Amino acid sequence: MDTRNRKKDSGTEKGKALIRPGMTPREIVSRLRSLDGIMITSTGMRDAGQSDYKNRHRIYDLATLAPCYEEMNLFSSECHGGARWHVGVMNRRETPFEEIELLRKLMPSVMLQTLIRETNLWGYRPYPKNVIEYVVANVDIDVWRCFSFLNDIRNMRAVAEVVMKRGRLFQPAISFTQADWTTNEYYLSVVNDIVDLCAGTDEIVLCIKDMAGVGSPKRIKSLIDAIKQKYPDLVVQYHRHATDGLAMPALLAAAEAGAGILDAQEDSLTRFYGQAPILGLHAYLEESGIKVHLNREAAETAVQKVRDWIGHYEWAESPFKGFDHQVTRHKMPGGAFPSSFEQAEKGGFLHLMPAILKVMSLYNKIVRYFDVTPGSQITWVTCSGIVNKYEKERGSTGVRHIIDLLTRFVEKKQQDFNAMTKKEQEELLELFRNAPGDFKNLLLGGYGRLPMGWPDEWVYRSAFGEEWEEKIKSRNELSPLDTLKPDDMDRIRKDLDDILGRKATEEEFILYLMHPKDAVSLIEFREKYGDAPLVLPTNVWREGLKNPGDKVEFCHLGMPYCIEIVSIGAEHEGVIHVVMKVNNKTRVYKVETPRARKVEIRMASGPNQIGAPINGNVWRIGNPDRGSVKEGDIVHKGEEIANLEAMKMENAILAPFDAQIEEIAVKLNESVEEGQLLFVLKELK
Amino acid sequence: MTKKIKRVLVANRGVPAVRIMHTCCDRGISTIAVYSTPDRLSHHVHTASYSIHIGEAPPAESYLNTEKIIKAAHKMNADAIHPGWGFLAENSQFAQMVMDAGLTWIGPSPNVLSLMGDKIRAKKLAIMANVPTIPGISDVTSVKQIKKWMKDEDVCYPIMIKASAGGGGKGMVKVEDDGDLPQALEKARSEARKAFGDDKLLAEKYIERGRHIEVQVVADTHGNVFHLYERECTLQRRHQKIIEEAPSPSLNHDLRQEICYTAVRLMREIGYTSAGTVEFIFDSSTQKFYFLEVNTRLQVEHGITELITGIDIVGLMIDVAEGKKFEFSQDDIRPNRWALEVRINAEDPRTFSPSFGTITRLQIPQGPGVRVAQGVYEGEDIPPYYDSLLMLLIASGEDRPHAIRVMDRTLSRNFRVEGVKTLAPLLLSIIRHEKFKKGEFSTRFIENHMDELVSMFKDKDSQDEVLKIAKYVAEISALGSQEWM
C-alpha cells in the first residue's frame, strides 16, 4: 500500500488519490472525517447507464474513461452491481468479472464500487445465507453499497459480516423516499439499526439512497442534519437521481448539511433519470464555497471521451423524455424508468403509461415499501397488470374507472375499507387476485418485514381469496436470512458441470448461482462467439460490417487481427453466405436466417428409446443370424438389432430387454449423430 | 529376370495411396488411382496420373472388391498393383489373382502372405527358427506342472493362467508369486468351467510393462535379406499405434543387434521377399523380447525408418517386384538421425470417437526436419466409411530430444485443421510429458495417463478464438441487430 499520501488534505493533486484500494475501512473513514471538502463517486460506469440507457453501455466503451478516473481523485467508481450484472449476462454478453479485471488493470488506484440488494444480491429474490456469503467473498469489489427495499437492516447482516471480515468497505444505504410516513424519526431508527449492525461508525460510510430523485433540498438538509446531530462522526454519502429536476440544489443542501461524498456522472452522459452532471456540480459547489476534491482537468477529459461513443446508444434511451416532477408521486426509481418503458413498448401498452404511473402513486400508499429493486419490479408488474386488465375488459373507460375507484378509496375515504360501498368493496377484493407471485410472497414476509407494517386485511382477502386467514397466520416476521434453507452448493456446482459437459470455472459458478438460466445461455454464447463482446467496437457489435471493404481491427491474446467483409450474399432457402477476410485469408460463412429450414434430428430419451452411441453410419439393421428386423418384430435381450460403422470400427446396438420394435427411426446407410434416435421399443414383460 | 514397371495401379486411398504415388512419380512411373463414389474428389485421386471409379462407398464394393480392381487395372493398362497398407495388402488370394491376371504384385509372395496370416503357424515357424516367443504351456492341470515348466524354461513371475477356450477376460488370472499359485489355478479353472463349459487351461509369461518394438526388413528375390533397424511403436490407444519412433529408446547396442538379426534370421527362414516387419514385445524389466507376428506389408510408420536410413522403402519394393538385386549390403545401412512420427487421425482427442465432416481449413507446418505425408487437402469431405488417418507428421533431428523439439514446433506452431477434430492436442500432450521425454512408457501409457494428458490441452488458441469472433461478425453483418441485444 502506498503510504506517501499521509499528508492531510492533499487536495486535487494529479495522480495522488486520497482514497485507494487496499486501505482499510478504518483508514478510509478516518481520512474522510478529516477532509475539509467533499469527494465524488462517479456513477458513469453503472447507474448513469442503468438510468438512461437500459444498462447497455459496454465495457469496451466505458473502459475509455478508466485512464481519466485514474487521475480524477474520485472516492470511488460505481461500475458494478444493480441490474448491470444481469443485463451484462443477458444483453451485453459480458461478465462482471471480466469488467472488474479490465478496470483493475486500467485504473488500479480507483476504488471499485458495487450496488447490492441485501439478500437479493444481484438477482430478484432472496438467496440463502450460504449463497450470499460465498458470492460476496468471491467478488473483488472495494466498496459494497447495500440497500434494502424494505429498510430491513436485519437482511444486510450476511453481506455486512463478509465484507467487513474481508477488510473491504461496507456502505449500508437507507432507501429514501418522501412521504408522510418517512419522517426523520423513522430514518433515525433505521440508522440506529445500521450502527448497531456495524458496531459503530468507524468502519462504514452511510449512504442515503434517493433512488427516485424525490428529495427536496429542505427535506434532505433536515434529514442529514438529524443524522449528523445524532452521529457526528458518521460519514454520509448522498446518492440522488435527477428525475424531479431538483438534483443540484438538493446536492448542495446535502453538502451543506455535512454529507462528505456525493454521486455524480459525466455531463455528457446526463439525460433525465441518472445522477447530476459532475462538472456542473463541481462548479456549483465551489461557487457556494464548498471544496470539491476532484481533478477537474481529468474530469473534463472524461466528459469529452463519452462523446466519442455515446452516439452508439441512442437506441437504448428511454422513449419517455424529460424530467418528471410527478415522480414525487409515482416514485418510479431512475433505474426502472427505461426498462419499464421498454417493457410497455414491447407489450404494446406504452399509451397506458400515464395511467400506470397514476395507479402506482395510489398503490404505494396501500402497500408501503420503497420502490427500488426488487420492490419496484413488484410495483411495476402489479400495477401494469391491473391497468392492462381493466383496459382489456372495459377499454379506456375501465382504466378511468379503476383510477377513480382507487383515488376515492385512498384520498377521499382515507383507505377506510368499510366506508366504501358494497359494490366497491367487492371490486377491491378482486384487485390483487391476479397479482404476481412475488407480490404475494412480499405480503407473506418472504422478503422481510415491511417498513410500516403489513397492509390492511382487505389486501390479503384480495390477494388470497378464501385462504386469506391461513395466509396471514403463515406470515413470516423473520428475515429471509433466518428462514431460507441453505442451498446445496456442491449439487448446484455439479448441475452446472453436467450442463456444460466440463468443469465450470469459479466465475461461471457464481454467475449460475445468481441467474441459472441466463448464465448458461451466456456461457454457451461465449463458447460459440468467444470474446466478441469484449473486442468489437459498438457499431460492429450491433450492426456488423456493412459494405465491402469495411473492416474491424483489434488485438486479442496479444496478436493483431483484422476482419474485413468481402460480400454478403442474397438469402437463399434461409441461408446467407458471407465472405470475409480474416487476417487476409478468405473465409465463407453460412449464416442461417430465422427462415432456415431446420432439419429436425430426433434424439433418444427414456429407456424405451435407443440412441446411437457414436457418430456413424447405420450399415446394418438387424443381425447376420436373423437378417434384417422391421417394425413390429420381437427382439430379445442382448440381441444385436443394428450395427453402426465409423472409421472402420463396428459398433453393435443391442436390445436392452425383450421387446417389440415400435419404430425404426433411421434408414439403412443413413449417417447418424451421437444420441440420435434409432429405435423405439416396447418392453415385453 | 527383370521387368520394367511402367504403370502402377494403387489399390488404396488416402495417405498410403499418395505416399506410393510420390515414389512412382520420382521414378517416372505413371499411376492410377481407384476411387469409390464418395472419394471422387479425394486427394489421392487428383495426385494420380489417371483415375478410375470402382464402386460405391462400402469397402466391399470398392477398395476390397478384388475383381473390380483387377478389371480396372486391365482397363487402364496398368502393369503392376501396389496394395498400400490396410484393405487388400495382406490378402494372399488377391496377390495370387493379380499375378494370375498377368500383372506384377508389388509385395511379398502369396505364399508368405498366407503363411504369416495364420498366427499359430507363424508362431510355430518362429519357434523352429529359434526365435523367442512368449513362453507358455498348454493343458495345465497342476501347480507342480506349472512350477516345473517355469523352472525348465526359466520363466519368472508374473505369469497369467488363462482358459484355453478363453476370451473377454474371463478365466484369466494373473499370478504374482508361488503363494498365490494354488488359489489362482483353482479360480481360473472354476471361472473357465462356468464361462466356457471347459476347464482346460494354459499358462503364459505375463509381460508387465510391454513395449512394442518392430524391425523393418527388406528382401530381394536373390537371397538378400537386410534389416533397416527397428522402430518403437509402444504408444497406442485402443491397440492402434499413434506415435512411433526410430530408433527405439529402449534398446542398447547389443540388444539392437540381437533383435535385428533375429528378425533377419526369421525372414530368411520364411523366404520373405519385398518389405516387411517383424513385431516383438519387449519386456523392459527383464530386457527380453518375444516374437509377436510378421506384418507382410508396407507399414504406416515406414517413413521414420526412411528418414533415419535415407532409404526409400517403396522404391525398394518396386525394385524387388521388378526382379532387381539390391545394390547395397547390410553394412551400408547406417542410421544417423532420430525420427518421430505422429498420426493425425480425425478423432476427438478426449474420447477417440471419430470426427468426420469437411476440412474447412488445413494449414500444414513445414520448416527444418519436418516430413508430412498428407492424405487430404483443404476443403475435402471426410466420409465416415474409411479409417480416420488424415496425415502423418514426421520430425527428425540429430538425437531424440532434437526430434521431439521439432515435433513440438510442428504440432504447436500454426498446425491447423478446422472442420474436424484431430488427435493433435493429445499428441502434443504426450510428447511434452516428462515420462515420454525420458523414454519411460509402456503400451498402457495413454490409458494410465489420460486425465493428465487431457489437462495439458491448451486452453485457448488465439486463432480459434478469433474465428469465433469472425463468426459473430458474419452473422450480425448478415442478419443485423438482434432482439436480445
Side-chain angles (χ1 to χ4, degrees):
Chain A
M1 201 197 359
D2 192 346
T3 51
R4 284 169 301 171
N5 292 333
R6 282 271 167 75
K7 194 172 61 151
K8 202 182 164 192
D9 295 341
S10 60
T12 56
E13 276 174 71
K14 218 178 159 179
K16 295 258 172 87
L18 287 169
I19 304 289
R20 45 196 302 155
M23 290 172 74
T24 65
R26 199 171 279 272
E27 285 174 314
I28 294 170
V29 170
S30 134
R31 174 140 321 151
L32 290 167
R33 282 174 179 166
S34 68
L35 273 190
D36 63 347
I38 65 128
M39 295 194 78
I40 289 180
T41 287
S42 172
T43 60
M45 293 190 186
R46 206 284 298 178
D47 208 359
Q50 175 159 335
S51 300
D52 281 302
Y53 306 89
K54 299 191 289 197
N55 260 319
R56 296 308 201 276
H57 291 163
R58 302 172 63 233
I59 195 65
Y60 179 92
D61 291 320
L62 293 178
T64 63
L65 306 181
C68 309
Y69 282 19
E70 179 67 9
E71 302 293 324
M72 271 163 67
N73 197 16
L74 291 166
F75 169 70
S76 65
S77 162
E78 194 206 42
C79 57
H80 189 272
R84 182 166 178 83
W85 177 300
H86 190 213
V87 174
V89 168
M90 282 195 307
N91 308 98
R92 303 191 312 275
R93 307 285 188 180
E94 53 196 15
T95 76
F97 298 100
E98 292 167 328
E99 298 185 323
I100 291 178
E101 192 189 340
L102 182 64
L103 294 177
R104 284 272 184 232
K105 224 176 279 170
L106 296 173
M107 45 185 212
S109 5
V110 179
M111 303 258 283
L112 305 185
Q113 179 170 322
T114 189
L115 179 66
I116 190 165
R117 308 157 177 155
E118 34 102 338
T119 59
N120 309 289
L121 297 178
W122 298 291
Y124 310 97
R125 62 176 175 93
Y127 295 92
K129 188 157 171 275
N130 65 331
V131 171
I132 298 170
E133 289 171 343
Y134 185 84
V135 170
V136 174
N138 283 288
V139 173
D140 178 26
I141 281 290
D142 303 305
V143 186
W144 293 76
R145 180 179 287 174
C146 176
F147 70 91
S148 163
F149 81 110
L150 303 173
N151 275 337
D152 189 342
I153 303 307
R154 300 174 308 169
N155 294 357
M156 296 184 183
R157 176 174 298 278
V159 176
E161 279 172 359
V162 178
V163 169
M164 295 176 87
K165 201 170 136 203
R166 286 183 76 189
R168 303 293 172 100
L169 184 66
F170 183 57
Q171 189 182 99
I174 52 179
S175 294
F176 174 85
T177 197
Q178 201 157 332
D180 51 8
W181 53 276
T182 55
T183 59
N184 285 354
E185 291 67 43
Y186 165 71
Y187 280 119
L188 277 173
S189 75
V190 177
V191 176
N192 290 342
D193 288 349
I194 287 173
V195 173
D196 284 350
L197 174 71
C198 304
T201 61
D202 291 344
E203 296 188 30
I204 55 165
V205 167
L206 176 80
C207 175
I208 297 171
K209 187 170 168 58
D210 185 353
M211 58 272 162
V214 295
S216 66
K218 274 193 179 160
R219 174 77 192 92
I220 288 304
K221 190 167 190 167
S222 142
L223 175 61
I224 295 178
D225 269 344
I227 293 173
K228 287 297 252 187
Q229 273 176 37
K230 173 128 195 230
Y231 297 103
D233 282 341
L234 183 58
V235 179
V236 176
Q237 174 159 13
Y238 182 40
H239 168 87
R240 189 197 204 278
H241 287 255
T243 315
D244 64 351
L246 292 174
M248 286 290 208
L251 286 161
L252 176 62
E256 285 172 344
I261 313 165
L262 300 175
D263 285 11
Q265 64 185 48
E266 280 62 41
D267 303 39
S268 40
L269 277 175
T270 312
R271 294 298 181 265
F272 314 108
Y273 314 119
Q275 281 69 51
I278 190 167
L279 297 179
L281 180 65
H282 172 258
Y284 184 42
L285 292 175
E286 294 255 311
E287 190 193 65
S288 311
I290 293 172
K291 183 167 174 57
V292 182
H293 295 278
L294 177 76
N295 177 342
R296 167 130 189 149
E297 199 186 328
E300 284 174 3
T301 314
V303 168
Q304 280 309 315
K305 285 268 178 216
V306 168
R307 299 193 202 280
D308 292 343
W309 47 258
I310 193 63
H312 294 316
Y313 295 98
E314 278 172 16
W315 64 274
E317 288 186 34
S318 164
F320 185 82
K321 307 263 185 206
F323 292 121
D324 180 23
H325 191 265
Q326 295 195 61
V327 69
T328 52
R329 277 182 245 148
H330 62 68
K331 313 258 175 31
M332 183 184 280
F337 249 90
S339 55
S340 303
F341 280 91
E342 182 183 18
Q343 282 174 37
E345 202 167 21
K346 269 192 192 149
F349 57 92
L350 195 56
H351 63 287
L352 294 179
M353 278 310 287
I356 294 170
L357 292 174
K358 179 72 192 165
V359 170
M360 282 168 68
S361 68
L362 297 161
Y363 164 89
N364 63 36
K365 292 185 171 133
I366 298 171
V367 188
R368 286 173 300 178
Y369 54 86
F370 297 88
D371 264 329
V372 62
T373 308
S376 50
Q377 279 76 10
I378 295 174
T379 307
W380 162 255
V381 177
T382 307
C383 295
S384 63
I386 291 170
V387 172
N388 268 300
K389 179 168 172 282
Y390 274 90
E391 140 113 322
K392 236 170 239 124
E393 285 170 4
R394 296 153 71 175
S396 56
T397 326
V399 176
R400 269 199 307 279
H401 164 79
I402 184 61
I403 290 174
D404 289 347
L405 174 71
L406 287 174
T407 309
R408 194 159 56 251
F409 174 61
V410 172
E411 286 170 12
K412 293 256 168 60
K413 308 286 185 190
Q414 308 304 319
Q415 299 196 47
D416 181 356
F417 188 71
N418 292 327
M420 304 295 279
T421 68
K422 186 97 180 121
K423 202 166 153 249
E424 288 169 337
Q425 287 183 3
E426 275 167 18
E427 200 171 349
L428 285 173
L429 287 179
E430 287 296 316
L431 191 67
F432 296 119
R433 191 58 51 86
N434 298 314
D438 292 335
F439 171 79
K440 295 179 180 172
N441 189 23
L442 175 77
L443 294 186
L444 297 177
Y447 292 86
R449 216 160 37 198
L450 262 53
M452 286 293 132
W454 305 110
D456 290 343
E457 214 173 81
W458 74 268
V459 176
Y460 287 84
R461 293 170 66 189
S462 176
F464 301 108
E466 284 172 7
E467 297 175 335
W468 68 277
E469 274 173 312
E470 276 165 56
K471 291 288 182 185
I472 286 182
K473 267 190 215 131
S474 72
R475 198 165 56 197
N476 176 33
E477 300 281 342
L478 295 168
S479 161
L481 279 178
D482 300 318
T483 53
L484 279 178
K485 280 201 206 77
D487 274 347
D488 181 346
M489 307 269 270
D490 291 338
R491 189 190 48 79
I492 297 174
R493 194 187 287 271
K494 197 178 164 298
D495 287 349
L496 179 59
D497 289 350
D498 289 347
I499 293 170
L500 300 182
R502 60 169 168 83
K503 270 208 102 37
T505 65
E506 198 57 34
E507 295 171 351
E508 287 168 339
F509 175 56
I510 292 173
L511 293 172
Y512 184 72
L513 280 176
M514 288 296 99
H515 308 98
K517 189 174 119 280
D518 296 325
V520 169
S521 151
L522 169 77
I523 295 165
E524 284 168 353
F525 181 94
R526 293 296 292 269
E527 277 178 359
K528 195 166 168 198
Y529 300 117
D531 286 344
L534 302 180
V535 301
L536 294 176
T538 300
N539 56 340
V540 180
W541 166 253
R542 278 197 44 86
E543 282 143 32
L545 298 167
K546 289 280 146 217
N547 303 308
D550 283 358
K551 56 176 121 175
V552 55
E553 293 182 345
F554 53 88
C555 256
H556 190 250
L557 301 174
M559 291 289 188
Y561 289 95
C562 175
I563 298 174
E564 178 181 336
I565 196 129
V566 177
S567 71
I568 301 173
E571 178 172 347
H572 180 66
E573 291 186 343
V575 173
I576 296 173
H577 283 90
V578 178
V579 183
M580 301 202 305
K581 287 205 234 172
V582 180
N583 279 18
N584 290 334
K585 283 187 188 152
T586 306
R587 290 175 178 271
V588 181
Y589 290 87
K590 260 172 86 174
V591 178
E592 288 192 352
T593 72
R595 279 182 292 281
R597 250 185 311 138
K598 294 265 184 284
V599 184
E600 188 90 19
I601 294 177
R602 287 166 68 194
M603 304 307 268
S605 64
N608 291 329
Q609 301 200 350
I610 310 300
I614 51 160
N615 294 337
N617 184 52
V618 184
W619 68 279
R620 180 164 71 212
I621 296 178
N623 59 60
D625 287 344
R626 76 186 279 173
S628 62
V629 294
K630 54 187 190 306
E631 287 170 10
D633 283 2
I634 305 287
V635 294
H636 300 284
K637 181 176 177 181
E639 182 179 355
E640 182 176 333
I641 51 177
N643 202 299
L644 296 192
E645 185 194 44
M647 302 290 186
K648 282 194 194 166
M649 285 184 284
E650 292 184 2
N651 297 274
I653 312 297
L654 307 179
F657 37 72
D658 291 347
Q660 181 169 31
I661 300 179
E662 279 200 330
E663 186 191 345
I664 300 178
V666 285
K667 285 196 274 297
L668 197 61
N669 287 325
E670 190 173 325
S671 285
V672 294
E673 61 179 62
E674 191 178 324
Q676 186 173 342
L677 180 66
L678 303 176
F679 293 92
V680 181
L681 301 182
K682 189 174 144 200
E683 186 166 5
L684 299 174
K685 301 245 164 116
Chain B
M1 186 195 73
T2 61
K3 52 197 166 182
K4 179 89 183 106
I5 293 173
K6 296 197 190 74
R7 181 174 286 191
V8 170
L9 180 140
V10 183
N12 214 306
R13 64 183 299 282
V15 176
V18 172
R19 163 69 193 93
I20 290 153
M21 288 169 190
H22 281 153
T23 288
C24 291
C25 189
D26 293 349
R27 296 169 68 114
I29 298 171
S30 63
T31 51
I32 296 156
V34 293
Y35 62 91
S36 66
T37 306
D39 264 350
R40 68 197 180 285
L41 298 179
S42 290
H43 191 41
H44 76 281
V45 177
H46 296 268
T47 307
S49 322
Y50 310 96
S51 301
I52 179 166
H53 177 247
I54 51 166
E56 295 309 309
E61 292 175 34
S62 48
Y63 301 107
L64 286 175
N65 191 311
T66 52
E67 276 156 32
K68 282 182 175 171
I69 291 172
I70 291 187
K71 220 165 113 195
H74 282 310
K75 190 170 170 203
M76 302 300 288
N77 293 320
D79 48 20
I81 290 182
H82 195 307
W85 61 72
F87 293 125
L88 297 167
E90 290 169 286
N91 183 322
S92 59
Q93 284 171 344
F94 178 62
Q96 193 59 52
M97 277 170 79
V98 170
M99 291 161 76
D100 292 349
L103 301 164
T104 301
W105 167 252
I106 305 176
S109 68
N111 244 348
V112 166
L113 292 179
S114 107
L115 189 63
M116 290 296 114
D118 180 338
K119 303 301 167 204
I120 295 166
R121 279 171 71 195
K123 187 168 177 183
K124 278 189 179 146
L125 225 142
I127 294 168
M128 270 162 59
N130 213 11
V131 172
T133 53
I134 297 179
I137 174 175
S138 50
D139 297 329
V140 172
T141 51
S142 70
V143 170
K144 211 170 112 191
Q145 189 187 2
I146 293 176
K147 283 191 176 163
K148 181 171 185 304
W149 158 68
M150 289 179 71
K151 197 174 162 218
D152 289 352
E153 299 198 20
D154 194 19
V155 174
C156 48
Y157 289 107
I159 61 164
M160 184 74 90
I161 303 176
K162 293 180 184 176
S164 296
K170 296 204 179 82
M172 278 173 74
V173 183
K174 188 176 158 194
V175 193
E176 303 280 0
D177 56 51
D178 272 350
D180 291 346
L181 193 52
Q183 295 105 303
L185 186 66
E186 203 33 59
K187 185 167 180 236
R189 202 187 333 256
S190 122
E191 277 188 19
R193 199 181 304 122
K194 266 184 244 154
F196 310 107
D198 178 355
D199 62 3
K200 250 196 246 122
L201 298 174
L202 59 85
E204 237 178 35
K205 164 82 187 148
Y206 179 77
I207 313 292
E208 191 123 34
R209 264 181 284 280
R211 299 176 71 123
H212 191 110
I213 293 173
E214 59 188 27
V215 177
Q216 175 71 55
V217 174
V218 288
D220 64 15
T221 50
H222 304 274
N224 290 313
V225 183
F226 302 143
H227 68 81
L228 303 183
Y229 290 91
E230 83 290 0
R231 296 185 286 258
E232 166 123 17
C233 314
T234 298
L235 286 171
Q236 311 187 349
R237 59 100 189 69
R238 293 184 172 170
H239 304 294
Q240 287 181 301
K241 304 163 186 170
I242 54 173
I243 296 186
E244 300 102 343
E245 61 185 304
S248 159
S250 324
L251 301 181
N252 59 28
H253 175 79
D254 289 353
L255 267 170
R256 174 167 294 119
Q257 293 301 321
E258 194 186 334
I259 203 170
C260 288
Y261 281 102
T262 303
V264 167
R265 194 168 70 237
L266 176 66
M267 294 298 248
R268 201 187 299 276
E269 196 72 28
I270 297 166
Y272 200 90
T273 55
S274 197
T277 305
V278 185
E279 291 196 345
F280 297 94
I281 184 124
F282 178 67
D283 183 343
S284 46
S285 54
T286 60
Q287 297 282 295
K288 284 189 176 148
F289 57 84
Y290 307 97
F291 169 78
L292 279 182
E293 60 175 329
V294 173
N295 287 319
T296 52
R297 59 167 190 268
L298 179 71
Q299 275 188 291
V300 178
E301 59 272 25
H302 73 283
I304 51 177
T305 299
E306 294 187 328
L307 277 187
I308 65 164
T309 59
I311 282 177
D312 179 345
I313 296 173
V314 175
L316 289 184
M317 290 177 83
I318 294 173
D319 285 343
V320 172
E322 285 180 336
K324 284 187 193 149
K325 194 174 171 182
F326 288 158
E327 289 173 0
F328 58 91
S329 68
Q330 183 67 60
D331 289 345
D332 295 330
I333 312 294
R334 287 161 193 236
N336 63 351
R337 314 290 292 159
W338 201 291
L340 194 65
E341 173 181 275
V342 299
R343 300 192 185 189
I344 305 295
N345 286 26
E347 286 174 22
D348 187 310
R350 289 177 169 82
T351 62
F352 305 123
S353 73
S355 168
F356 36 83
T358 302
I359 298 181
T360 52
R361 177 101 6 191
L362 181 60
Q363 193 168 294
I364 296 173
Q366 295 291 347
V370 180
R371 165 172 157 175
V372 180
Q374 196 179 339
V376 295
Y377 60 90
E378 181 173 304
E380 188 168 329
D381 288 321
I382 307 299
Y385 313 104
Y386 313 114
D387 84 9
S388 61
L389 184 65
L390 299 185
M391 70 178 82
L392 302 169
L393 297 181
I394 312 177
S396 64
E398 60 196 32
D399 53 18
R400 190 166 189 268
H402 186 198
I404 293 174
R405 283 199 303 275
V406 172
M407 184 59 85
D408 192 308
R409 179 231 301 161
T410 311
L411 283 170
S412 61
R413 289 275 143 217
N414 292 319
F415 172 62
R416 291 189 67 72
V417 179
E418 293 172 18
V420 297
K421 291 178 190 162
T422 75
L423 289 184
L426 179 70
L427 297 166
L428 187 61
S429 294
I430 295 171
I431 66 157
R432 285 181 172 179
H433 197 279
E434 276 315 309
K435 288 213 165 128
F436 177 81
K437 286 188 183 166
K438 287 189 196 146
E440 292 167 6
F441 47 82
S442 76
T443 46
R444 289 166 66 192
F445 177 84
I446 293 173
E447 47 180 309
N448 290 344
H449 295 85
M450 195 61 192
D451 288 346
E452 194 185 342
L453 292 169
V454 168
S455 74
M456 290 163 73
F457 287 8
K458 202 171 164 186
D459 228 16
K460 266 190 181 175
D461 171 271
S462 165
Q463 288 197 49
D464 286 345
E465 291 303 309
V466 162
L467 292 178
K468 293 179 184 173
I469 297 169
K471 182 182 165 68
Y472 177 84
V473 173
E475 289 186 10
I476 297 303
S477 299
L479 303 175
S481 293
Q482 296 296 295
E483 188 66 18
W484 54 261
M485 289 174 172

